[in-house]
């Protein structure tokens, strides 16, 4: 059957329309013409399943050419790396504490005390450690100040300086009544840093103080506190009373004995000597010998090996025996020949058929009543050698005043 030209063209056109309607893929060209955007979109939209509409995907934005790679992130810089002084990060009171310690530490020393003991069987001599303590450099001549009780039991002593060098030490002088001792080492002057000396008469309660020493053998230890009280009294190793003692809450432990108590300017204001503690460890109550006493005694110990002791040339009955005899005052037991008391006609105990009879009884010094040896000695100490005191003495129920000049009796 022959089809006409028009019929053939119509048949082809119908076939193409049927293919589009059935979803067959079509070329994007139509008779050599590029399909326009709306035409392509109409074709794409007709090929989607019913109920789904896929939006046209946007064309990607053109990318700019890549630049040089970014440098790696650097780690955070510490104050030390950046050249910042760590002290700038501290509070003012912290910087002050650090500076005080830095200035005082080279002057503080560590003291070893050793006793010699002989074996009764082998006769060998062994060195027995008696303990450790603290001290401080007094001058560049090698003098070191510490407590008397630190050196008392030691027959061999050594001093360890801040640079860890150890030097044999010998005792130059002691003042048991004030719990002070001076040692001597033969170290070069360039290894010795004397501690600046302050005063204790103008201290105030609440004032900041620092204790530097070697508690429990831990050298160069700093503790900080305040002056808790002034004018305390403390019994010395000899039984005499140390007066005007400084009380502090700066931690003082075994091994701190003999170390310095210093003020916020780094000056010596006391020598740490004792603590009050039921357990033996720090309880916040420590005591220091005032520096005014230290300044007076240390030159004497260096010059003569003993502290100058003013007196009138008498021996005295103990306070305990005087109390048992129900006597109030200081009992003269004997009078030394050619002394001030002998020249003034004072008398000691007299032997009688019934026993011993009282001679002169000292009841006051410079108008101040005295009942113990310690009270009288304190007045003598305040007057000093060469000072003149007026004693009120009683004998046979009668009192009289006697004026005497004090002399040094330390060597007698």
């Amino acid at each position: 059957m022959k089809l006409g030209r028009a019929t053939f063209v119509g048949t082809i056109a119908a076939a193409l329309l049927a293919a589009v309607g059935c979803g067959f893929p079509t070329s994007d060209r139509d008779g050599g013409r590029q399909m326009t955007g709306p035409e392509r979109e109409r074709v794409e939209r007709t090929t989607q399943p019913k109920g789904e509409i896929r939006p046209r995907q946007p064309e990607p934005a053109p990318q700019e050419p890549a630049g040089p790679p970014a440098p790696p992130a650097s780690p955070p810089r510490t104050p030390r790396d950046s050249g910042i002084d760590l002290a700038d990060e501290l509070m003012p009171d912290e910087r002050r504490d650090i500076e005080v310690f830095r200035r005082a530490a080279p002057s503080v020393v560590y003291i070893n005390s050793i006793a010699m003991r002989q074996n009764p069987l082998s006769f060998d001599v062994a060195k027995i450690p008696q303990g450790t303590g603290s001290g401080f450099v007094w001058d560049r001549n090698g003098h070191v100040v510490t407590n008397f009780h630190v050196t008392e039991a030691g027959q061999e002593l050594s001093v360890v300086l801040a640079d860890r060098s150890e030097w044999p030490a010998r005792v130059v002088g002691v003042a048991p009544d004030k719990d002070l001792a001076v040692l001597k080492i033969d170290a070069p002057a360039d290894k010795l840093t004397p501690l600046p000396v302050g005063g204790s008469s103008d201290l105030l309660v609440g004032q900041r103080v620092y204790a530097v020493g070697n508690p429990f053998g831990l050298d160069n230890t700093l503790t900080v506190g305040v002056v808790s009280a002034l004018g305390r009294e403390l019994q010395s190793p000899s039984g005499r009373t140390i007066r005007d003692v400084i009380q502090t809450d700066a931690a003082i432990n075994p091994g701190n004995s003999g170390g310095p108590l210093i003020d916020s300017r780094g000056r010596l204001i006391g020598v740490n000597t004792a603590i009050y503690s039921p357990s033996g460890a720090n309880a916040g109550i420590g005591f220091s010998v005032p520096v005014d006493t230290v300044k007076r005694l240390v030159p004497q110990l260096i010059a003569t090996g003993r502290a100058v002791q003013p007196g009138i040339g008498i021996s005295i009955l103990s306070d305990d025996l005087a109390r048992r005899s129900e006597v109030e005052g200081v009992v003269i037991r004997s009078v030394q020949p050619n002394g001030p008391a002998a020249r003034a006609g004072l008398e000691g105990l007299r032997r009688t058929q019934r026993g011993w009879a009282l001679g002169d009884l000292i009841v006051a010094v410079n108008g101040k009543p005295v009942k113990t040896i310690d009270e009288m000695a304190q007045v003598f100490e305040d007057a000093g050698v060469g000072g003149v005191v007026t004693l009120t003495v009683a004998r046979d129920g009668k009192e009289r005043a006697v004026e005497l000049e004090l002399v040094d009796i330390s060597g007698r």
Side-chain angles (χ1 to χ4, degrees), residues 327-352:
V327 175
E328 288 190 1
V330 178
V331 178
I332 298 178
R333 188 175 64 182
S334 64
V335 177
Q336 298 172 359
N338 302 319
R343 291 192 294 268
L346 297 184
E347 296 181 0
L349 296 176
R350 304 188 306 270
R351 183 183 290 274
T352 66

Side-chain angles (χ1 to χ4, degrees), residues 127-329:
K127 294 183 178 182
I128 309 298
Q130 296 298 296
T132 60
S134 304
F136 55 91
V137 177
W138 181 260
D139 57 30
R140 294 191 181 274
N141 294 324
H143 293 111
V144 173
V145 177
T146 185
N147 285 144
F148 168 72
H149 75 261
V150 170
T151 66
E152 182 179 13
Q155 296 169 287
E156 184 176 299
L157 301 167
S158 66
V159 170
V160 180
L161 299 177
D163 63 358
R164 308 283 181 164
S165 61
E166 185 169 3
W167 302 84
R170 63 184 184 276
V171 177
V172 171
V174 296
D177 291 348
K178 304 300 181 184
D179 197 17
L180 293 174
V182 176
L183 308 180
K184 178 73 164 61
I185 60 175
D186 295 325
D190 59 0
K191 285 183 171 288
L192 302 173
T193 305
L195 190 66
V197 178
S200 53
S201 61
D202 56 352
L203 293 178
L204 299 173
V205 173
Q207 183 174 334
R208 197 178 187 92
V209 293
Y210 306 81
V212 185
N214 309 292
F216 303 108
L218 303 172
D219 59 338
N220 281 333
T221 297
L222 170 71
T223 56
V224 183
V226 298
V227 174
S228 303
L230 296 168
R232 296 299 195 203
E233 295 185 352
L234 187 69
Q235 189 176 41
S236 70
S238 67
R240 284 280 307 278
T241 299
I242 307 175
R243 302 183 187 276
D244 297 324
V245 171
I246 304 166
Q247 179 184 327
T248 179
D249 66 347
I252 298 175
N253 289 290
N256 269 118
S257 292
L261 187 72
I262 55 182
D263 63 13
S264 56
R265 295 186 179 181
R267 301 174 303 183
L268 176 72
I269 59 172
V271 178
N272 301 322
T273 183
I275 60 174
Y276 177 80
S277 172
S279 65
N282 172 62
I285 302 178
F287 301 100
S288 298
V289 179
V291 72
D292 288 350
T293 299
V294 177
K295 290 190 295 185
R296 176 171 56 84
L297 293 181
V298 167
Q300 299 173 12
L301 298 179
I302 293 174
T304 66
R306 59 182 183 270
V308 173
Q309 184 178 351
I312 58 175
I314 59 175
S315 61
I316 303 168
L317 195 68
S318 70
D319 293 333
D320 184 56
L321 289 176
R323 282 193 297 268
R324 285 194 231 171
S325 303
E326 299 181 352
V327 175
E328 288 190 1

Side-chain angles (χ1 to χ4, degrees), residues 308-314 339-341 343 362 365-366 376-391 402-409 412:
V308 173
Q309 184 178 351
I312 58 175
I314 59 175
R343 291 192 294 268
I362 301 174
V365 181
N366 292 340
M376 184 183 71
Q378 183 61 41
V379 179
F380 287 179
E381 189 174 295
D382 292 341
V385 174
V388 177
V389 295
T390 300
L391 305 183
V402 179
E403 192 173 88
L404 301 172
E405 181 179 349
L406 299 177
V407 297
D408 180 16
I409 61 171
R412 301 183 184 183

